[in-house]
Structure formats: structure tokens, C-alpha cells
Amino acid sequence: MKLDLHTNYSADEIQRLFTEVFSESEGEEEGKLIGGLVDSLMATTRDEDLIGCVATDKNEVIGCIFFSRLSFNTPIDAFIMAPVAIRTDSQNKGIGQELINFGLGLLKEKDVTLAFTYGDPNYYSKVGFQCITESTIKAPVTLSQPEGWLCQTLDGNAIQAIDGQSKCVEAFNDPKYW
Ligand SMILES: CC(C)(COP(=O)(O)OP(=O)(O)OC[C@H]1O[C@@H](n2cnc3c(N)ncnc32)[C@H](O)[C@@H]1OP(=O)(O)O)[C@@H](O)C(=O)NCCC(=O)NCCS
């Protein structure tokens, strides 16, 4: 298996991975929704606000995760990890955790101090995320499942409260994803 940046792969192949994985796990409608989100993330996000990581096996994309910038009123370097997809026939082999740790390593190299995600705490706690409340740090859009709002620091400090609103990139700025 090889871990790499998404920019070295075709946007079509990456979009197809997300569409297929989410169709198989959540149904066709969700597959289309997440495929569309990934398409829009790649097409509309500034290079400096998006990091995609890809896992390949025999030159085929078998996993992908995206980190996009989360901005605050104060100058804090933060990214949110979403979405995450591992090809159905490659799941439960540790690839998701390896890919996420690879991505978090890239963020650390760029001196990013906070990583967020929104998902299952049971899974994402395996790679260092912990539940936070919106009284500590506000999500950019109203959350339908606030228990899935997760964060970790990348500089060894404890999570500290941040005042004011957070802002996600344009592709994510829609309540249907939250
Ligand atoms: C969720 C997902 C990214 C996990 O990646 P993976 O490579 O299959 O998982 P790993 O092999 O790294 O980790 C396996 C462990 O995570 C657990 N796990 C896997 N998927 C899980 C999920 N959806 N929720 C909670 N735990 C999960 C497994 O039970 C296993 O636990 P164990 O080590 O205690 O036995 C992958 O299964 C996937 O793409 N699923 C469909 C799309 C999705 O739900 N994406 C996440 C939302 S954005």
C-alpha cells in the first residue's frame, strides 16, 4: 500500500471511490451526496485550504480522506477531516487509521495546531480525536448530531475554548452535510 497526496490522482477516480463506498454503506442517495461534496471540495477549495490523502494498492485508489480549513476570528491554524472513505473490500484492515495518521502527520509538518472531525467517536478516538461541546468550540454549521463533534490538538497542548464562530470552506457550507 502507498500513501500519497490526492493531487497525484484523477479527481474522477477519487469522486468515484466516495460515491461507491457511501452507496454501499449508506445507500445510493448518500453515495451521490458525498460524491458531489467531494467533487465540489476539489473544484472550489483553494489549494492552501485543502489536503487530500490517498491510499493506493497496485495503482488503484482504495482509500481517501480530506482535510479542509476551519477558520476562526483569531489566527488559529485548524483543519477539519471529512469525508473519509475506505473501499468496501479493504475495510477493517487498519487502512483508515493508517491514512488518517499519515494525514495528521502532514498537518503537523505544516504547523497546524487543531484537527476536527464530525463522526463516530468510537472510531475516531482510535486516532486521537475526543468529543468536545460547542460551548468549547463552535461548529461552523448547526450539528444534527452534536455528540459527533470531535477535536484533537497537534501541538501537545490541551484543547482550549475558542470564542466566536468557526467558518468552513464553501463546499461544506450546507446544513445537509452536518
Ligand atoms: C469508517 C471507515 C473509514 C473505517 O476505515 P477502516 O479502514 O475500515 O477501519 P480500520 O481498519 O482503520 O479500523 C477498524 C476498527 O474500526 C472499527 N470501525 C470500522 N468502521 C467503523 C464505523 N463506521 N464506526 C465505528 N467503528 C468502526 C472496526 O470495528 C475496528 O475496530 P477494532 O479495531 O476495535 O476491531 C471505513 O470503514 C469506511 O470507509 N466506511 C464507509 C464510509 C464511512 O462510514 N466513512 C466515515 C464517515 S465520513
Side-chain angles (χ1 to χ4, degrees), residues 18 21-22 25-26 34 65 81-88 90-98 100 117-124 126:
F18 280 94
V21 168
F22 279 87
S25 69
E26 315 278 331
I34 304 300
I65 59 178
M81 181 181 76
V84 173
I86 304 300
R87 206 168 72 183
T88 310
S90 300
Q91 289 175 6
N92 286 312
K93 295 177 180 170
I95 297 170
Q97 290 169 67
E98 229 182 293
I100 293 167
T117 194
Y118 181 47
D120 187 336
N122 292 325
Y123 181 66
Y124 292 110
K126 294 178 192 292

PDB file of all heavy atoms in Angstrom, residues 18 21-22 25-26 34 65 81-88 90-98 100 117-124 126, ligand 1:
ATOM      1  N   PHE A  18     -15.604   7.712  -3.373  1.00  0.00           N
ATOM      2  CA  PHE A  18     -16.546   8.172  -2.336  1.00  0.00           C
ATOM      3  C   PHE A  18     -17.976   7.777  -2.676  1.00  0.00           C
ATOM      4  O   PHE A  18     -18.738   7.339  -1.809  1.00  0.00           O
ATOM      5  CB  PHE A  18     -16.426   9.692  -2.144  1.00  0.00           C
ATOM      6  CG  PHE A  18     -15.249  10.075  -1.287  1.00  0.00           C
ATOM      7  CD1 PHE A  18     -14.034  10.408  -1.854  1.00  0.00           C
ATOM      8  CD2 PHE A  18     -15.347  10.074   0.099  1.00  0.00           C
ATOM      9  CE1 PHE A  18     -12.938  10.740  -1.062  1.00  0.00           C
ATOM     10  CE2 PHE A  18     -14.268  10.405   0.899  1.00  0.00           C
ATOM     11  CZ  PHE A  18     -13.053  10.732   0.317  1.00  0.00           C
ATOM     12  N   VAL A  21     -18.270   3.902  -2.083  1.00  0.00           N
ATOM     13  CA  VAL A  21     -18.166   3.480  -0.676  1.00  0.00           C
ATOM     14  C   VAL A  21     -19.422   3.894   0.098  1.00  0.00           C
ATOM     15  O   VAL A  21     -20.004   3.086   0.838  1.00  0.00           O
ATOM     16  CB  VAL A  21     -16.896   4.071  -0.014  1.00  0.00           C
ATOM     17  CG1 VAL A  21     -16.934   3.882   1.497  1.00  0.00           C
ATOM     18  CG2 VAL A  21     -15.647   3.430  -0.603  1.00  0.00           C
ATOM     19  N   PHE A  22     -19.869   5.144  -0.100  1.00  0.00           N
ATOM     20  CA  PHE A  22     -21.041   5.603   0.667  1.00  0.00           C
ATOM     21  C   PHE A  22     -22.343   5.006   0.119  1.00  0.00           C
ATOM     22  O   PHE A  22     -23.296   4.829   0.878  1.00  0.00           O
ATOM     23  CB  PHE A  22     -21.085   7.137   0.735  1.00  0.00           C
ATOM     24  CG  PHE A  22     -20.162   7.677   1.795  1.00  0.00           C
ATOM     25  CD1 PHE A  22     -18.837   7.939   1.520  1.00  0.00           C
ATOM     26  CD2 PHE A  22     -20.608   7.857   3.099  1.00  0.00           C
ATOM     27  CE1 PHE A  22     -17.968   8.405   2.513  1.00  0.00           C
ATOM     28  CE2 PHE A  22     -19.754   8.306   4.096  1.00  0.00           C
ATOM     29  CZ  PHE A  22     -18.431   8.578   3.806  1.00  0.00           C
ATOM     30  N   SER A  25     -22.365   1.645   1.828  1.00  0.00           N
ATOM     31  CA  SER A  25     -22.554   1.631   3.292  1.00  0.00           C
ATOM     32  C   SER A  25     -23.843   2.333   3.723  1.00  0.00           C
ATOM     33  O   SER A  25     -24.469   1.940   4.701  1.00  0.00           O
ATOM     34  CB  SER A  25     -21.349   2.237   4.015  1.00  0.00           C
ATOM     35  OG  SER A  25     -21.268   3.608   3.786  1.00  0.00           O
ATOM     36  N   GLU A  26     -24.273   3.381   2.971  1.00  0.00           N
ATOM     37  CA  GLU A  26     -25.414   4.190   3.434  1.00  0.00           C
ATOM     38  C   GLU A  26     -26.552   4.284   2.425  1.00  0.00           C
ATOM     39  O   GLU A  26     -27.530   4.958   2.690  1.00  0.00           O
ATOM     40  CB  GLU A  26     -24.949   5.638   3.724  1.00  0.00           C
ATOM     41  CG  GLU A  26     -23.655   5.774   4.501  1.00  0.00           C
ATOM     42  CD  GLU A  26     -23.849   5.622   5.991  1.00  0.00           C
ATOM     43  OE1 GLU A  26     -24.937   5.951   6.485  1.00  0.00           O
ATOM     44  OE2 GLU A  26     -22.897   5.172   6.652  1.00  0.00           O
ATOM     45  N   ILE A  34     -22.335  12.441  -1.133  1.00  0.00           N
ATOM     46  CA  ILE A  34     -20.932  12.560  -0.709  1.00  0.00           C
ATOM     47  C   ILE A  34     -20.009  12.655  -1.931  1.00  0.00           C
ATOM     48  O   ILE A  34     -19.025  13.398  -1.918  1.00  0.00           O
ATOM     49  CB  ILE A  34     -20.522  11.398   0.232  1.00  0.00           C
ATOM     50  CG1 ILE A  34     -21.460  11.344   1.456  1.00  0.00           C
ATOM     51  CG2 ILE A  34     -19.073  11.546   0.692  1.00  0.00           C
ATOM     52  CD1 ILE A  34     -21.484  12.595   2.320  1.00  0.00           C
ATOM     53  N   ILE A  65      -9.037  10.522   2.261  1.00  0.00           N
ATOM     54  CA  ILE A  65      -9.577  11.427   3.294  1.00  0.00           C
ATOM     55  C   ILE A  65      -9.249  12.859   2.882  1.00  0.00           C
ATOM     56  O   ILE A  65      -8.245  13.094   2.208  1.00  0.00           O
ATOM     57  CB  ILE A  65      -8.961  11.163   4.697  1.00  0.00           C
ATOM     58  CG1 ILE A  65      -7.442  11.337   4.673  1.00  0.00           C
ATOM     59  CG2 ILE A  65      -9.314   9.788   5.190  1.00  0.00           C
ATOM     60  CD1 ILE A  65      -6.785  11.133   6.028  1.00  0.00           C
ATOM     61  N   MET A  81     -11.317  17.149   9.212  1.00  0.00           N
ATOM     62  CA  MET A  81     -11.155  15.944   8.402  1.00  0.00           C
ATOM     63  C   MET A  81     -12.536  15.399   8.030  1.00  0.00           C
ATOM     64  O   MET A  81     -13.292  14.985   8.903  1.00  0.00           O
ATOM     65  CB  MET A  81     -10.390  14.898   9.210  1.00  0.00           C
ATOM     66  CG  MET A  81     -10.140  13.611   8.451  1.00  0.00           C
ATOM     67  SD  MET A  81      -9.261  12.416   9.469  1.00  0.00           S
ATOM     68  CE  MET A  81     -10.574  11.861  10.545  1.00  0.00           C
ATOM     69  N   ALA A  82     -12.851  15.404   6.753  1.00  0.00           N
ATOM     70  CA  ALA A  82     -14.111  14.843   6.252  1.00  0.00           C
ATOM     71  C   ALA A  82     -14.171  15.069   4.735  1.00  0.00           C
ATOM     72  O   ALA A  82     -13.697  16.105   4.274  1.00  0.00           O
ATOM     73  CB  ALA A  82     -15.323  15.537   6.896  1.00  0.00           C
ATOM     74  N   PRO A  83     -14.739  14.170   3.997  1.00  0.00           N
ATOM     75  CA  PRO A  83     -15.147  12.847   4.441  1.00  0.00           C
ATOM     76  C   PRO A  83     -13.983  11.855   4.394  1.00  0.00           C
ATOM     77  O   PRO A  83     -12.900  12.187   3.934  1.00  0.00           O
ATOM     78  CB  PRO A  83     -16.248  12.474   3.440  1.00  0.00           C
ATOM     79  CG  PRO A  83     -15.909  13.222   2.191  1.00  0.00           C
ATOM     80  CD  PRO A  83     -15.153  14.456   2.596  1.00  0.00           C
ATOM     81  N   VAL A  84     -14.265  10.654   4.847  1.00  0.00           N
ATOM     82  CA  VAL A  84     -13.286   9.569   4.936  1.00  0.00           C
ATOM     83  C   VAL A  84     -13.906   8.344   4.265  1.00  0.00           C
ATOM     84  O   VAL A  84     -15.041   8.000   4.572  1.00  0.00           O
ATOM     85  CB  VAL A  84     -13.011   9.231   6.429  1.00  0.00           C
ATOM     86  CG1 VAL A  84     -12.123   8.003   6.571  1.00  0.00           C
ATOM     87  CG2 VAL A  84     -12.398  10.426   7.157  1.00  0.00           C
ATOM     88  N   ALA A  85     -13.180   7.708   3.364  1.00  0.00           N
ATOM     89  CA  ALA A  85     -13.730   6.505   2.711  1.00  0.00           C
ATOM     90  C   ALA A  85     -12.635   5.481   2.432  1.00  0.00           C
ATOM     91  O   ALA A  85     -11.598   5.818   1.859  1.00  0.00           O
ATOM     92  CB  ALA A  85     -14.425   6.874   1.402  1.00  0.00           C
ATOM     93  N   ILE A  86     -12.876   4.270   2.845  1.00  0.00           N
ATOM     94  CA  ILE A  86     -12.010   3.132   2.521  1.00  0.00           C
ATOM     95  C   ILE A  86     -12.845   2.155   1.698  1.00  0.00           C
ATOM     96  O   ILE A  86     -13.987   1.842   2.081  1.00  0.00           O
ATOM     97  CB  ILE A  86     -11.503   2.420   3.808  1.00  0.00           C
ATOM     98  CG1 ILE A  86     -10.790   3.406   4.745  1.00  0.00           C
ATOM     99  CG2 ILE A  86     -10.598   1.229   3.445  1.00  0.00           C
ATOM    100  CD1 ILE A  86      -9.567   4.097   4.184  1.00  0.00           C
ATOM    101  N   ARG A  87     -12.308   1.732   0.551  1.00  0.00           N
ATOM    102  CA  ARG A  87     -13.062   0.839  -0.333  1.00  0.00           C
ATOM    103  C   ARG A  87     -13.588  -0.358   0.466  1.00  0.00           C
ATOM    104  O   ARG A  87     -12.884  -0.907   1.313  1.00  0.00           O
ATOM    105  CB  ARG A  87     -12.160   0.367  -1.478  1.00  0.00           C
ATOM    106  CG  ARG A  87     -12.937   0.005  -2.727  1.00  0.00           C
ATOM    107  CD  ARG A  87     -12.027  -0.175  -3.904  1.00  0.00           C
ATOM    108  NE  ARG A  87     -11.255  -1.410  -3.759  1.00  0.00           N
ATOM    109  CZ  ARG A  87     -10.321  -1.818  -4.629  1.00  0.00           C
ATOM    110  NH1 ARG A  87     -10.047  -1.084  -5.687  1.00  0.00           N
ATOM    111  NH2 ARG A  87      -9.675  -2.941  -4.442  1.00  0.00           N
ATOM    112  N   THR A  88     -14.828  -0.735   0.158  1.00  0.00           N
ATOM    113  CA  THR A  88     -15.531  -1.727   0.980  1.00  0.00           C
ATOM    114  C   THR A  88     -14.711  -3.007   1.172  1.00  0.00           C
ATOM    115  O   THR A  88     -14.619  -3.529   2.283  1.00  0.00           O
ATOM    116  CB  THR A  88     -16.906  -2.046   0.346  1.00  0.00           C
ATOM    117  OG1 THR A  88     -17.560  -0.796   0.086  1.00  0.00           O
ATOM    118  CG2 THR A  88     -17.762  -2.890   1.267  1.00  0.00           C
ATOM    119  N   SER A  90     -11.659  -3.302   1.340  1.00  0.00           N
ATOM    120  CA  SER A  90     -10.394  -3.050   2.048  1.00  0.00           C
ATOM    121  C   SER A  90     -10.624  -2.566   3.479  1.00  0.00           C
ATOM    122  O   SER A  90      -9.668  -2.171   4.160  1.00  0.00           O
ATOM    123  CB  SER A  90      -9.580  -1.995   1.285  1.00  0.00           C
ATOM    124  OG  SER A  90      -9.293  -2.434  -0.013  1.00  0.00           O
ATOM    125  N   GLN A  91     -11.878  -2.589   3.916  1.00  0.00           N
ATOM    126  CA  GLN A  91     -12.178  -2.083   5.263  1.00  0.00           C
ATOM    127  C   GLN A  91     -11.745  -3.066   6.352  1.00  0.00           C
ATOM    128  O   GLN A  91     -11.573  -4.261   6.102  1.00  0.00           O
ATOM    129  CB  GLN A  91     -13.682  -1.796   5.390  1.00  0.00           C
ATOM    130  CG  GLN A  91     -14.093  -0.571   4.576  1.00  0.00           C
ATOM    131  CD  GLN A  91     -15.596  -0.309   4.573  1.00  0.00           C
ATOM    132  OE1 GLN A  91     -16.352  -0.971   5.262  1.00  0.00           O
ATOM    133  NE2 GLN A  91     -16.011   0.664   3.782  1.00  0.00           N
ATOM    134  N   ASN A  92     -11.577  -2.505   7.560  1.00  0.00           N
ATOM    135  CA  ASN A  92     -11.209  -3.300   8.748  1.00  0.00           C
ATOM    136  C   ASN A  92      -9.854  -3.996   8.634  1.00  0.00           C
ATOM    137  O   ASN A  92      -9.637  -5.059   9.197  1.00  0.00           O
ATOM    138  CB  ASN A  92     -12.302  -4.335   9.070  1.00  0.00           C
ATOM    139  CG  ASN A  92     -13.504  -3.642   9.686  1.00  0.00           C
ATOM    140  OD1 ASN A  92     -13.352  -2.838  10.597  1.00  0.00           O
ATOM    141  ND2 ASN A  92     -14.677  -3.931   9.175  1.00  0.00           N
ATOM    142  N   LYS A  93      -8.946  -3.342   7.887  1.00  0.00           N
ATOM    143  CA  LYS A  93      -7.575  -3.869   7.787  1.00  0.00           C
ATOM    144  C   LYS A  93      -6.584  -2.839   8.326  1.00  0.00           C
ATOM    145  O   LYS A  93      -5.387  -2.926   8.048  1.00  0.00           O
ATOM    146  CB  LYS A  93      -7.239  -4.191   6.321  1.00  0.00           C
ATOM    147  CG  LYS A  93      -8.076  -5.311   5.730  1.00  0.00           C
ATOM    148  CD  LYS A  93      -7.735  -5.529   4.259  1.00  0.00           C
ATOM    149  CE  LYS A  93      -8.562  -6.651   3.664  1.00  0.00           C
ATOM    150  NZ  LYS A  93      -8.422  -6.726   2.200  1.00  0.00           N
ATOM    151  N   GLY A  94      -7.104  -1.817   8.998  1.00  0.00           N
ATOM    152  CA  GLY A  94      -6.212  -0.797   9.567  1.00  0.00           C
ATOM    153  C   GLY A  94      -5.872   0.327   8.608  1.00  0.00           C
ATOM    154  O   GLY A  94      -5.137   1.254   8.970  1.00  0.00           O
ATOM    155  N   ILE A  95      -6.402   0.270   7.366  1.00  0.00           N
ATOM    156  CA  ILE A  95      -6.016   1.268   6.359  1.00  0.00           C
ATOM    157  C   ILE A  95      -6.539   2.660   6.724  1.00  0.00           C
ATOM    158  O   ILE A  95      -5.838   3.663   6.593  1.00  0.00           O
ATOM    159  CB  ILE A  95      -6.503   0.836   4.951  1.00  0.00           C
ATOM    160  CG1 ILE A  95      -5.804  -0.471   4.563  1.00  0.00           C
ATOM    161  CG2 ILE A  95      -6.232   1.919   3.912  1.00  0.00           C
ATOM    162  CD1 ILE A  95      -6.350  -1.142   3.326  1.00  0.00           C
ATOM    163  N   GLY A  96      -7.780   2.711   7.217  1.00  0.00           N
ATOM    164  CA  GLY A  96      -8.352   4.002   7.622  1.00  0.00           C
ATOM    165  C   GLY A  96      -7.475   4.689   8.652  1.00  0.00           C
ATOM    166  O   GLY A  96      -7.097   5.865   8.494  1.00  0.00           O
ATOM    167  N   GLN A  97      -7.093   3.956   9.680  1.00  0.00           N
ATOM    168  CA  GLN A  97      -6.265   4.567  10.740  1.00  0.00           C
ATOM    169  C   GLN A  97      -4.884   4.960  10.209  1.00  0.00           C
ATOM    170  O   GLN A  97      -4.351   5.999  10.574  1.00  0.00           O
ATOM    171  CB  GLN A  97      -6.134   3.594  11.913  1.00  0.00           C
ATOM    172  CG  GLN A  97      -7.458   3.433  12.660  1.00  0.00           C
ATOM    173  CD  GLN A  97      -7.427   2.294  13.659  1.00  0.00           C
ATOM    174  OE1 GLN A  97      -6.709   2.355  14.634  1.00  0.00           O
ATOM    175  NE2 GLN A  97      -8.208   1.257  13.410  1.00  0.00           N
ATOM    176  N   GLU A  98      -4.331   4.135   9.323  1.00  0.00           N
ATOM    177  CA  GLU A  98      -3.011   4.467   8.766  1.00  0.00           C
ATOM    178  C   GLU A  98      -3.081   5.751   7.937  1.00  0.00           C
ATOM    179  O   GLU A  98      -2.235   6.640   8.039  1.00  0.00           O
ATOM    180  CB  GLU A  98      -2.553   3.303   7.875  1.00  0.00           C
ATOM    181  CG  GLU A  98      -1.132   2.850   8.179  1.00  0.00           C
ATOM    182  CD  GLU A  98      -0.680   1.743   7.257  1.00  0.00           C
ATOM    183  OE1 GLU A  98      -1.244   0.631   7.353  1.00  0.00           O
ATOM    184  OE2 GLU A  98       0.213   1.985   6.447  1.00  0.00           O
ATOM    185  N   ILE A 100      -5.361   8.156   8.135  1.00  0.00           N
ATOM    186  CA  ILE A 100      -5.643   9.314   8.995  1.00  0.00           C
ATOM    187  C   ILE A 100      -4.356   9.752   9.709  1.00  0.00           C
ATOM    188  O   ILE A 100      -4.041  10.948   9.761  1.00  0.00           O
ATOM    189  CB  ILE A 100      -6.769   8.987  10.009  1.00  0.00           C
ATOM    190  CG1 ILE A 100      -8.094   8.785   9.279  1.00  0.00           C
ATOM    191  CG2 ILE A 100      -6.892  10.093  11.061  1.00  0.00           C
ATOM    192  CD1 ILE A 100      -9.202   8.155  10.119  1.00  0.00           C
ATOM    193  N   THR A 117     -13.058  16.692  13.487  1.00  0.00           N
ATOM    194  CA  THR A 117     -13.828  15.863  12.582  1.00  0.00           C
ATOM    195  C   THR A 117     -15.244  15.760  13.143  1.00  0.00           C
ATOM    196  O   THR A 117     -15.534  16.261  14.252  1.00  0.00           O
ATOM    197  CB  THR A 117     -13.182  14.478  12.331  1.00  0.00           C
ATOM    198  OG1 THR A 117     -13.810  13.874  11.195  1.00  0.00           O
ATOM    199  CG2 THR A 117     -13.304  13.542  13.526  1.00  0.00           C
ATOM    200  N   TYR A 118     -16.122  15.153  12.360  1.00  0.00           N
ATOM    201  CA  TYR A 118     -17.527  15.042  12.755  1.00  0.00           C
ATOM    202  C   TYR A 118     -17.949  13.636  12.389  1.00  0.00           C
ATOM    203  O   TYR A 118     -18.065  13.311  11.200  1.00  0.00           O
ATOM    204  CB  TYR A 118     -18.334  16.094  11.986  1.00  0.00           C
ATOM    205  CG  TYR A 118     -19.812  16.131  12.289  1.00  0.00           C
ATOM    206  CD1 TYR A 118     -20.281  16.117  13.599  1.00  0.00           C
ATOM    207  CD2 TYR A 118     -20.732  16.209  11.248  1.00  0.00           C
ATOM    208  CE1 TYR A 118     -21.635  16.162  13.859  1.00  0.00           C
ATOM    209  CE2 TYR A 118     -22.092  16.266  11.502  1.00  0.00           C
ATOM    210  CZ  TYR A 118     -22.539  16.237  12.811  1.00  0.00           C
ATOM    211  OH  TYR A 118     -23.878  16.286  13.073  1.00  0.00           O
ATOM    212  N   GLY A 119     -18.075  12.757  13.391  1.00  0.00           N
ATOM    213  CA  GLY A 119     -18.402  11.371  13.082  1.00  0.00           C
ATOM    214  C   GLY A 119     -18.483  10.514  14.325  1.00  0.00           C
ATOM    215  O   GLY A 119     -18.728  11.026  15.425  1.00  0.00           O
ATOM    216  N   ASP A 120     -18.246   9.216  14.139  1.00  0.00           N
ATOM    217  CA  ASP A 120     -18.421   8.253  15.223  1.00  0.00           C
ATOM    218  C   ASP A 120     -17.250   8.342  16.211  1.00  0.00           C
ATOM    219  O   ASP A 120     -16.122   7.981  15.869  1.00  0.00           O
ATOM    220  CB  ASP A 120     -18.492   6.856  14.610  1.00  0.00           C
ATOM    221  CG  ASP A 120     -18.842   5.792  15.639  1.00  0.00           C
ATOM    222  OD1 ASP A 120     -18.582   6.017  16.844  1.00  0.00           O
ATOM    223  OD2 ASP A 120     -19.358   4.736  15.240  1.00  0.00           O
ATOM    224  N   PRO A 121     -17.514   8.777  17.457  1.00  0.00           N
ATOM    225  CA  PRO A 121     -16.417   8.904  18.439  1.00  0.00           C
ATOM    226  C   PRO A 121     -15.711   7.570  18.684  1.00  0.00           C
ATOM    227  O   PRO A 121     -14.514   7.555  18.941  1.00  0.00           O
ATOM    228  CB  PRO A 121     -17.120   9.388  19.709  1.00  0.00           C
ATOM    229  CG  PRO A 121     -18.453   9.874  19.280  1.00  0.00           C
ATOM    230  CD  PRO A 121     -18.808   9.161  18.016  1.00  0.00           C
ATOM    231  N   ASN A 122     -16.442   6.450  18.570  1.00  0.00           N
ATOM    232  CA  ASN A 122     -15.813   5.141  18.826  1.00  0.00           C
ATOM    233  C   ASN A 122     -14.695   4.854  17.828  1.00  0.00           C
ATOM    234  O   ASN A 122     -13.689   4.247  18.170  1.00  0.00           O
ATOM    235  CB  ASN A 122     -16.850   4.012  18.746  1.00  0.00           C
ATOM    236  CG  ASN A 122     -17.820   4.105  19.886  1.00  0.00           C
ATOM    237  OD1 ASN A 122     -17.455   4.484  20.998  1.00  0.00           O
ATOM    238  ND2 ASN A 122     -19.079   3.807  19.601  1.00  0.00           N
ATOM    239  N   TYR A 123     -14.920   5.277  16.586  1.00  0.00           N
ATOM    240  CA  TYR A 123     -13.876   5.047  15.579  1.00  0.00           C
ATOM    241  C   TYR A 123     -12.779   6.110  15.681  1.00  0.00           C
ATOM    242  O   TYR A 123     -11.598   5.798  15.768  1.00  0.00           O
ATOM    243  CB  TYR A 123     -14.469   5.022  14.164  1.00  0.00           C
ATOM    244  CG  TYR A 123     -13.394   4.751  13.134  1.00  0.00           C
ATOM    245  CD1 TYR A 123     -12.732   3.521  13.113  1.00  0.00           C
ATOM    246  CD2 TYR A 123     -12.994   5.722  12.230  1.00  0.00           C
ATOM    247  CE1 TYR A 123     -11.700   3.272  12.209  1.00  0.00           C
ATOM    248  CE2 TYR A 123     -11.967   5.485  11.321  1.00  0.00           C
ATOM    249  CZ  TYR A 123     -11.332   4.258  11.312  1.00  0.00           C
ATOM    250  OH  TYR A 123     -10.309   4.018  10.424  1.00  0.00           O
ATOM    251  N   TYR A 124     -13.168   7.376  15.684  1.00  0.00           N
ATOM    252  CA  TYR A 124     -12.162   8.436  15.577  1.00  0.00           C
ATOM    253  C   TYR A 124     -11.330   8.612  16.851  1.00  0.00           C
ATOM    254  O   TYR A 124     -10.253   9.208  16.803  1.00  0.00           O
ATOM    255  CB  TYR A 124     -12.817   9.741  15.116  1.00  0.00           C
ATOM    256  CG  TYR A 124     -13.298   9.623  13.688  1.00  0.00           C
ATOM    257  CD1 TYR A 124     -14.651   9.576  13.369  1.00  0.00           C
ATOM    258  CD2 TYR A 124     -12.385   9.499  12.644  1.00  0.00           C
ATOM    259  CE1 TYR A 124     -15.084   9.417  12.059  1.00  0.00           C
ATOM    260  CE2 TYR A 124     -12.800   9.332  11.341  1.00  0.00           C
ATOM    261  CZ  TYR A 124     -14.153   9.300  11.053  1.00  0.00           C
ATOM    262  OH  TYR A 124     -14.551   9.128   9.747  1.00  0.00           O
ATOM    263  N   LYS A 126      -9.797   6.247  18.083  1.00  0.00           N
ATOM    264  CA  LYS A 126      -8.642   5.375  17.831  1.00  0.00           C
ATOM    265  C   LYS A 126      -7.472   6.161  17.239  1.00  0.00           C
ATOM    266  O   LYS A 126      -6.342   5.699  17.245  1.00  0.00           O
ATOM    267  CB  LYS A 126      -9.008   4.245  16.857  1.00  0.00           C
ATOM    268  CG  LYS A 126     -10.020   3.234  17.386  1.00  0.00           C
ATOM    269  CD  LYS A 126     -10.341   2.198  16.316  1.00  0.00           C
ATOM    270  CE  LYS A 126     -11.550   1.351  16.666  1.00  0.00           C
ATOM    271  NZ  LYS A 126     -11.342   0.452  17.796  1.00  0.00           N
TER     272      LYS A 126
HETATM  273  C1  LIG B   1     -15.262   4.014   8.695  1.00  0.00           C
HETATM  274  C2  LIG B   1     -14.056   3.658   7.840  1.00  0.00           C
HETATM  275  C3  LIG B   1     -13.398   4.911   7.307  1.00  0.00           C
HETATM  276  C4  LIG B   1     -13.051   2.896   8.731  1.00  0.00           C
HETATM  277  O1  LIG B   1     -11.892   2.571   7.997  1.00  0.00           O
HETATM  278  P1  LIG B   1     -11.288   1.082   8.068  1.00  0.00           P
HETATM  279  O2  LIG B   1     -10.007   1.070   7.320  1.00  0.00           O
HETATM  280  O3  LIG B   1     -12.342   0.135   7.636  1.00  0.00           O
HETATM  281  O4  LIG B   1     -11.065   0.918   9.658  1.00  0.00           O
HETATM  282  P2  LIG B   1      -9.741   0.454  10.384  1.00  0.00           P
HETATM  283  O5  LIG B   1      -9.343  -0.865   9.809  1.00  0.00           O
HETATM  284  O6  LIG B   1      -8.764   1.542  10.429  1.00  0.00           O
HETATM  285  O7  LIG B   1     -10.279   0.268  11.880  1.00  0.00           O
HETATM  286  C5  LIG B   1     -11.012  -0.856  12.215  1.00  0.00           C
HETATM  287  C6  LIG B   1     -11.672  -0.638  13.552  1.00  0.00           C
HETATM  288  O8  LIG B   1     -12.624   0.434  13.443  1.00  0.00           O
HETATM  289  C7  LIG B   1     -13.938  -0.054  13.700  1.00  0.00           C
HETATM  290  N1  LIG B   1     -14.841   0.583  12.734  1.00  0.00           N
HETATM  291  C8  LIG B   1     -14.827   0.452  11.408  1.00  0.00           C
HETATM  292  N2  LIG B   1     -15.816   1.184  10.865  1.00  0.00           N
HETATM  293  C9  LIG B   1     -16.456   1.783  11.886  1.00  0.00           C
HETATM  294  C10 LIG B   1     -17.570   2.666  11.964  1.00  0.00           C
HETATM  295  N3  LIG B   1     -18.251   3.078  10.894  1.00  0.00           N
HETATM  296  N4  LIG B   1     -17.963   3.075  13.185  1.00  0.00           N
HETATM  297  C11 LIG B   1     -17.305   2.673  14.304  1.00  0.00           C
HETATM  298  N5  LIG B   1     -16.243   1.842  14.288  1.00  0.00           N
HETATM  299  C12 LIG B   1     -15.830   1.400  13.086  1.00  0.00           C
HETATM  300  C13 LIG B   1     -13.855  -1.540  13.491  1.00  0.00           C
HETATM  301  O9  LIG B   1     -14.839  -2.201  14.240  1.00  0.00           O
HETATM  302  C14 LIG B   1     -12.450  -1.847  14.008  1.00  0.00           C
HETATM  303  O10 LIG B   1     -12.442  -1.841  15.440  1.00  0.00           O
HETATM  304  P3  LIG B   1     -11.445  -2.795  16.277  1.00  0.00           P
HETATM  305  O11 LIG B   1     -10.050  -2.413  15.844  1.00  0.00           O
HETATM  306  O12 LIG B   1     -11.756  -2.416  17.687  1.00  0.00           O
HETATM  307  O13 LIG B   1     -11.816  -4.179  15.865  1.00  0.00           O
HETATM  308  C15 LIG B   1     -14.443   2.730   6.648  1.00  0.00           C
HETATM  309  O14 LIG B   1     -14.976   1.532   7.160  1.00  0.00           O
HETATM  310  C16 LIG B   1     -15.408   3.359   5.672  1.00  0.00           C
HETATM  311  O15 LIG B   1     -14.971   3.968   4.706  1.00  0.00           O
HETATM  312  N6  LIG B   1     -16.732   3.181   5.883  1.00  0.00           N
HETATM  313  C17 LIG B   1     -17.755   3.675   4.987  1.00  0.00           C
HETATM  314  C18 LIG B   1     -17.785   5.178   4.888  1.00  0.00           C
HETATM  315  C19 LIG B   1     -17.845   5.854   6.253  1.00  0.00           C
HETATM  316  O16 LIG B   1     -18.647   5.487   7.112  1.00  0.00           O
HETATM  317  N7  LIG B   1     -16.975   6.850   6.438  1.00  0.00           N
HETATM  318  C20 LIG B   1     -16.865   7.558   7.697  1.00  0.00           C
HETATM  319  C21 LIG B   1     -17.802   8.701   7.788  1.00  0.00           C
HETATM  320  S1  LIG B   1     -17.166  10.129   6.952  1.00  0.00           S
END
